[in-house]
mmCIF file of all heavy atoms in Angstrom:
data_model
loop_
_atom_site.group_PDB
_atom_site.id
_atom_site.type_symbol
_atom_site.label_atom_id
_atom_site.label_comp_id
_atom_site.label_asym_id
_atom_site.label_seq_id
_atom_site.Cartn_x
_atom_site.Cartn_y
_atom_site.Cartn_z
ATOM 1 N N GLY A 295 -3.596 14.419 12.863
ATOM 2 C CA GLY A 295 -2.550 13.454 12.575
ATOM 3 C C GLY A 295 -3.026 12.028 12.782
ATOM 4 O O GLY A 295 -2.648 11.121 12.032
ATOM 5 N N GLY A 296 -3.852 11.814 13.802
ATOM 6 C CA GLY A 296 -4.389 10.479 14.055
ATOM 7 C C GLY A 296 -5.227 9.984 12.905
ATOM 8 O O GLY A 296 -5.147 8.805 12.521
ATOM 9 N N TRP A 297 -6.048 10.878 12.346
ATOM 10 C CA TRP A 297 -6.864 10.494 11.186
ATOM 11 C C TRP A 297 -5.967 10.050 10.041
ATOM 12 O O TRP A 297 -6.192 9.008 9.419
ATOM 13 C CB TRP A 297 -7.740 11.662 10.747
ATOM 14 C CG TRP A 297 -8.686 11.334 9.635
ATOM 15 C CD1 TRP A 297 -9.949 10.825 9.737
ATOM 16 C CD2 TRP A 297 -8.432 11.478 8.222
ATOM 17 N NE1 TRP A 297 -10.496 10.649 8.491
ATOM 18 C CE2 TRP A 297 -9.598 11.035 7.538
ATOM 19 C CE3 TRP A 297 -7.346 11.933 7.478
ATOM 20 C CZ2 TRP A 297 -9.694 11.040 6.144
ATOM 21 C CZ3 TRP A 297 -7.435 11.931 6.087
ATOM 22 C CH2 TRP A 297 -8.608 11.499 5.443
ATOM 23 N N HIS A 298 -4.931 10.830 9.749
ATOM 24 C CA HIS A 298 -4.049 10.507 8.632
ATOM 25 C C HIS A 298 -3.261 9.225 8.886
ATOM 26 O O HIS A 298 -3.068 8.418 7.957
ATOM 27 C CB HIS A 298 -3.096 11.671 8.360
ATOM 28 C CG HIS A 298 -3.695 12.742 7.501
ATOM 29 N ND1 HIS A 298 -3.827 12.615 6.146
ATOM 30 C CD2 HIS A 298 -4.210 13.964 7.828
ATOM 31 C CE1 HIS A 298 -4.391 13.710 5.649
ATOM 32 N NE2 HIS A 298 -4.631 14.541 6.644
ATOM 33 N N ARG A 299 -2.822 8.999 10.113
ATOM 34 C CA ARG A 299 -2.077 7.757 10.398
ATOM 35 C C ARG A 299 -2.992 6.536 10.277
ATOM 36 O O ARG A 299 -2.591 5.505 9.739
ATOM 37 C CB ARG A 299 -1.448 7.846 11.787
ATOM 38 C CG ARG A 299 -0.364 8.917 11.885
ATOM 39 C CD ARG A 299 0.354 8.916 13.228
ATOM 40 N NE ARG A 299 1.218 10.081 13.309
ATOM 41 C CZ ARG A 299 0.891 11.230 13.896
ATOM 42 N NH1 ARG A 299 -0.290 11.344 14.497
ATOM 43 N NH2 ARG A 299 1.725 12.246 13.899
ATOM 44 N N HIS A 300 -4.226 6.678 10.787
ATOM 45 C CA HIS A 300 -5.174 5.563 10.656
ATOM 46 C C HIS A 300 -5.463 5.273 9.192
ATOM 47 O O HIS A 300 -5.453 4.105 8.763
ATOM 48 C CB HIS A 300 -6.477 5.888 11.386
ATOM 49 C CG HIS A 300 -7.572 4.901 11.093
ATOM 50 N ND1 HIS A 300 -7.687 3.698 11.750
ATOM 51 C CD2 HIS A 300 -8.595 4.927 10.180
ATOM 52 C CE1 HIS A 300 -8.725 3.028 11.280
ATOM 53 N NE2 HIS A 300 -9.292 3.754 10.322
ATOM 54 N N MET A 301 -5.722 6.310 8.389
ATOM 55 C CA MET A 301 -6.037 6.102 6.977
ATOM 56 C C MET A 301 -4.861 5.464 6.239
ATOM 57 O O MET A 301 -5.047 4.644 5.339
ATOM 58 C CB MET A 301 -6.420 7.426 6.316
ATOM 59 C CG MET A 301 -7.664 8.090 6.901
ATOM 60 S SD MET A 301 -9.187 7.121 6.718
ATOM 61 C CE MET A 301 -9.604 7.448 5.009
ATOM 62 N N THR A 302 -3.652 5.827 6.641
ATOM 63 C CA THR A 302 -2.461 5.254 6.017
ATOM 64 C C THR A 302 -2.358 3.763 6.303
ATOM 65 O O THR A 302 -2.130 2.950 5.386
ATOM 66 C CB THR A 302 -1.201 5.968 6.535
ATOM 67 O OG1 THR A 302 -1.293 7.366 6.233
ATOM 68 C CG2 THR A 302 0.060 5.407 5.899
ATOM 69 N N LEU A 303 -2.534 3.370 7.560
ATOM 70 C CA LEU A 303 -2.398 1.968 7.934
ATOM 71 C C LEU A 303 -3.599 1.144 7.460
ATOM 72 O O LEU A 303 -3.447 -0.033 7.107
ATOM 73 C CB LEU A 303 -2.199 1.844 9.441
ATOM 74 C CG LEU A 303 -0.949 2.573 9.979
ATOM 75 C CD1 LEU A 303 -0.779 2.321 11.471
ATOM 76 C CD2 LEU A 303 0.304 2.161 9.224
ATOM 77 N N ALA A 304 -4.782 1.752 7.422
ATOM 78 C CA ALA A 304 -5.939 1.051 6.859
ATOM 79 C C ALA A 304 -5.753 0.828 5.358
ATOM 80 O O ALA A 304 -6.188 -0.197 4.811
ATOM 81 C CB ALA A 304 -7.226 1.832 7.127
ATOM 82 N N SER A 305 -5.098 1.766 4.684
ATOM 83 C CA SER A 305 -4.795 1.580 3.266
ATOM 84 C C SER A 305 -3.825 0.427 3.071
ATOM 85 O O SER A 305 -3.933 -0.342 2.100
ATOM 86 C CB SER A 305 -4.205 2.869 2.679
ATOM 87 O OG SER A 305 -5.150 3.925 2.727
ATOM 88 N N ALA A 306 -2.868 0.291 3.986
ATOM 89 C CA ALA A 306 -1.936 -0.840 3.917
ATOM 90 C C ALA A 306 -2.678 -2.157 4.122
ATOM 91 O O ALA A 306 -2.403 -3.157 3.446
ATOM 92 C CB ALA A 306 -0.829 -0.674 4.953
ATOM 93 N N ALA A 307 -3.629 -2.172 5.067
ATOM 94 C CA ALA A 307 -4.429 -3.387 5.296
ATOM 95 C C ALA A 307 -5.245 -3.730 4.056
ATOM 96 O O ALA A 307 -5.379 -4.897 3.680
ATOM 97 C CB ALA A 307 -5.337 -3.193 6.505
ATOM 98 N N HIS A 308 -5.795 -2.707 3.412
ATOM 99 C CA HIS A 308 -6.520 -2.933 2.158
ATOM 100 C C HIS A 308 -5.584 -3.529 1.108
ATOM 101 O O HIS A 308 -5.937 -4.479 0.407
ATOM 102 C CB HIS A 308 -7.109 -1.619 1.654
ATOM 103 C CG HIS A 308 -7.858 -1.734 0.359
ATOM 104 N ND1 HIS A 308 -9.181 -1.375 0.236
ATOM 105 C CD2 HIS A 308 -7.478 -2.174 -0.873
ATOM 106 C CE1 HIS A 308 -9.580 -1.583 -1.005
ATOM 107 N NE2 HIS A 308 -8.551 -2.071 -1.701
ATOM 108 N N ALA A 309 -4.380 -2.981 1.001
ATOM 109 C CA ALA A 309 -3.429 -3.446 -0.016
ATOM 110 C C ALA A 309 -3.073 -4.915 0.184
ATOM 111 O O ALA A 309 -3.003 -5.691 -0.776
ATOM 112 C CB ALA A 309 -2.167 -2.587 0.023
ATOM 113 N N ILE A 310 -2.851 -5.307 1.434
ATOM 114 C CA ILE A 310 -2.526 -6.709 1.714
ATOM 115 C C ILE A 310 -3.668 -7.615 1.289
ATOM 116 O O ILE A 310 -3.472 -8.674 0.684
ATOM 117 C CB ILE A 310 -2.210 -6.883 3.211
ATOM 118 C CG1 ILE A 310 -0.889 -6.182 3.544
ATOM 119 C CG2 ILE A 310 -2.139 -8.356 3.602
ATOM 120 C CD1 ILE A 310 -0.618 -6.058 5.016
ATOM 121 N N THR A 311 -4.895 -7.184 1.587
ATOM 122 C CA THR A 311 -6.070 -7.961 1.187
ATOM 123 C C THR A 311 -6.194 -8.034 -0.333
ATOM 124 O O THR A 311 -6.478 -9.087 -0.900
ATOM 125 C CB THR A 311 -7.333 -7.338 1.789
ATOM 126 O OG1 THR A 311 -7.188 -7.213 3.194
ATOM 127 C CG2 THR A 311 -8.556 -8.187 1.487
ATOM 128 N N ALA A 312 -5.977 -6.895 -1.003
ATOM 129 C CA ALA A 312 -6.119 -6.852 -2.456
ATOM 130 C C ALA A 312 -5.075 -7.698 -3.163
ATOM 131 O O ALA A 312 -5.353 -8.310 -4.188
ATOM 132 C CB ALA A 312 -6.037 -5.404 -2.944
ATOM 133 N N LEU A 313 -3.867 -7.734 -2.631
ATOM 134 C CA LEU A 313 -2.787 -8.476 -3.269
ATOM 135 C C LEU A 313 -2.812 -9.963 -2.937
ATOM 136 O O LEU A 313 -2.208 -10.769 -3.645
ATOM 137 C CB LEU A 313 -1.436 -7.896 -2.857
ATOM 138 C CG LEU A 313 -1.123 -6.488 -3.367
ATOM 139 C CD1 LEU A 313 0.213 -6.011 -2.799
ATOM 140 C CD2 LEU A 313 -1.099 -6.443 -4.887
ATOM 141 N N ALA A 314 -3.510 -10.334 -1.872
ATOM 142 C CA ALA A 314 -3.476 -11.724 -1.420
ATOM 143 C C ALA A 314 -3.876 -12.726 -2.490
ATOM 144 O O ALA A 314 -3.211 -13.750 -2.627
ATOM 145 C CB ALA A 314 -4.361 -11.893 -0.182
ATOM 146 N N PRO A 315 -4.940 -12.515 -3.290
ATOM 147 C CA PRO A 315 -5.328 -13.548 -4.258
ATOM 148 C C PRO A 315 -4.281 -13.785 -5.334
ATOM 149 O O PRO A 315 -4.129 -14.898 -5.818
ATOM 150 C CB PRO A 315 -6.634 -13.024 -4.856
ATOM 151 C CG PRO A 315 -6.598 -11.563 -4.614
ATOM 152 C CD PRO A 315 -5.909 -11.401 -3.295
ATOM 153 N N ALA A 316 -3.544 -12.740 -5.719
ATOM 154 C CA ALA A 316 -2.530 -12.904 -6.756
ATOM 155 C C ALA A 316 -1.401 -13.803 -6.265
ATOM 156 O O ALA A 316 -0.812 -14.553 -7.033
ATOM 157 C CB ALA A 316 -1.979 -11.542 -7.167
ATOM 158 N N ALA A 317 -1.124 -13.753 -4.935
ATOM 159 C CA ALA A 317 -0.011 -14.515 -4.394
ATOM 160 C C ALA A 317 -0.445 -15.820 -3.755
ATOM 161 O O ALA A 317 0.302 -16.781 -3.726
ATOM 162 C CB ALA A 317 0.733 -13.664 -3.361
ATOM 163 N N ARG A 318 -1.693 -15.879 -3.252
ATOM 164 C CA ARG A 318 -2.091 -17.011 -2.428
ATOM 165 C C ARG A 318 -3.356 -17.714 -2.898
ATOM 166 O O ARG A 318 -3.731 -18.751 -2.364
ATOM 167 C CB ARG A 318 -2.333 -16.512 -0.993
ATOM 168 C CG ARG A 318 -1.204 -15.589 -0.531
ATOM 169 C CD ARG A 318 -0.403 -16.081 0.575
ATOM 170 N NE ARG A 318 -1.035 -17.007 1.450
ATOM 171 C CZ ARG A 318 -0.604 -17.200 2.685
ATOM 172 N NH1 ARG A 318 0.396 -16.501 3.139
ATOM 173 N NH2 ARG A 318 -1.165 -18.102 3.467
ATOM 174 N N GLY A 319 -4.055 -17.136 -3.868
ATOM 175 C CA GLY A 319 -5.254 -17.797 -4.380
ATOM 176 C C GLY A 319 -6.395 -17.815 -3.395
ATOM 177 O O GLY A 319 -7.160 -18.769 -3.330
ATOM 178 N N LEU A 320 -6.543 -16.726 -2.593
ATOM 179 C CA LEU A 320 -7.641 -16.694 -1.636
ATOM 180 C C LEU A 320 -8.963 -16.516 -2.357
ATOM 181 O O LEU A 320 -9.027 -16.063 -3.489
ATOM 182 C CB LEU A 320 -7.431 -15.541 -0.646
ATOM 183 C CG LEU A 320 -6.180 -15.641 0.239
ATOM 184 C CD1 LEU A 320 -6.118 -14.445 1.162
ATOM 185 C CD2 LEU A 320 -6.186 -16.924 1.039
ATOM 186 N N ARG A 321 -10.049 -16.801 -1.666
ATOM 187 C CA ARG A 321 -11.370 -16.703 -2.268
ATOM 188 C C ARG A 321 -11.755 -15.248 -2.458
ATOM 189 O O ARG A 321 -11.153 -14.351 -1.892
ATOM 190 C CB ARG A 321 -12.400 -17.408 -1.372
ATOM 191 C CG ARG A 321 -12.558 -16.770 0.004
ATOM 192 C CD ARG A 321 -13.590 -17.529 0.824
ATOM 193 N NE ARG A 321 -13.655 -17.069 2.185
ATOM 194 C CZ ARG A 321 -14.278 -15.974 2.570
ATOM 195 N NH1 ARG A 321 -14.856 -15.200 1.700
ATOM 196 N NH2 ARG A 321 -14.316 -15.627 3.840
ATOM 197 N N ALA A 322 -12.769 -15.009 -3.273
ATOM 198 C CA ALA A 322 -13.219 -13.641 -3.554
ATOM 199 C C ALA A 322 -13.819 -13.016 -2.322
ATOM 200 O O ALA A 322 -14.395 -13.673 -1.486
ATOM 201 C CB ALA A 322 -14.252 -13.673 -4.689
#
């Protein structure tokens, strides 16, 4: 369960990073 919870929250962290340039114009 710990593996799955970590992978879930790490995926959310990835999503925030991936979406940031569309909303905020961050660098590559």
Side-chain angles (χ1 to χ4, degrees):
W297 184 88
H298 276 283
R299 294 186 189 96
H300 170 83
M301 298 297 281
T302 301
L303 300 184
S305 296
H308 179 122
I310 291 169
T311 306
L313 293 176
R318 314 245 334 202
L320 297 180
R321 63 180 173 79

